[in-house]
Amino acid sequence: MLIATNERGHVVKRPSTPAVGTMLANLGRGNAYLILDRVEEEQPGSWYIQVLLRDNNSYQLEYRDGSPQLHFWTRTISQEKVLAALLGWAGGKPDWREGFMWKSIAELFDASCETPRPSVVPRPSGATESP
């Protein structure tokens, strides 16, 4: 199941394409990030994609494929590219990563546990795991 959450704590279970688009378009001061979590009991680890609207109006996009070693980030100024990545990831499309230069941020995580040293994008309060 997919769950979309923004900085204001608005949560949408099984978000539609228009809902994700609206949540992305509404990012701004006081509501700077959007997280899509994939929650499946049979799939261990943490699976999500998240976007942060930075103060310079660029977007920082991150995804994690289950483990801290598979955590990557990139930046773009294109809201359209971010929306395509979010929807592609949510839909399981194999080419959703294309068009970006991804950098691993696995070094930010302590290998002995799954908690980050510094937080790149804040998680909403009440979240069960940090990025």
Side-chain angles (χ1 to χ4, degrees), residues 35-112:
I35 302 167
L36 293 179
D37 280 300
R38 181 169 285 127
V39 181
E40 297 179 20
E41 290 181 24
E42 67 275 359
Q43 201 170 35
S46 186
W47 301 78
Y48 57 83
I49 188 167
Q50 57 190 7
V51 60
L52 169 69
L53 179 61
R54 301 179 62 83
D55 289 338
N56 65 0
N57 289 322
S58 68
Y59 295 91
Q60 182 171 322
L61 190 61
E62 293 183 25
Y63 76 93
R64 181 167 166 165
D65 278 348
S67 72
Q69 294 76 29
L70 297 173
H71 196 148
F72 301 87
W73 79 282
T74 192
R75 284 192 187 167
T76 184
I77 59 170
S78 172
Q79 186 181 77
E80 293 79 22
K81 285 177 68 173
V82 170
L83 181 58
L86 291 171
L87 296 175
W89 179 88
K93 294 185 179 175
D95 61 349
W96 71 267
R97 292 178 197 88
E98 292 179 11
F100 297 99
M101 293 185 65
W102 295 98
K103 181 180 187 298
S104 174
I105 55 174
E107 71 276 0
L108 296 176
F109 298 87
D110 182 342
S112 65

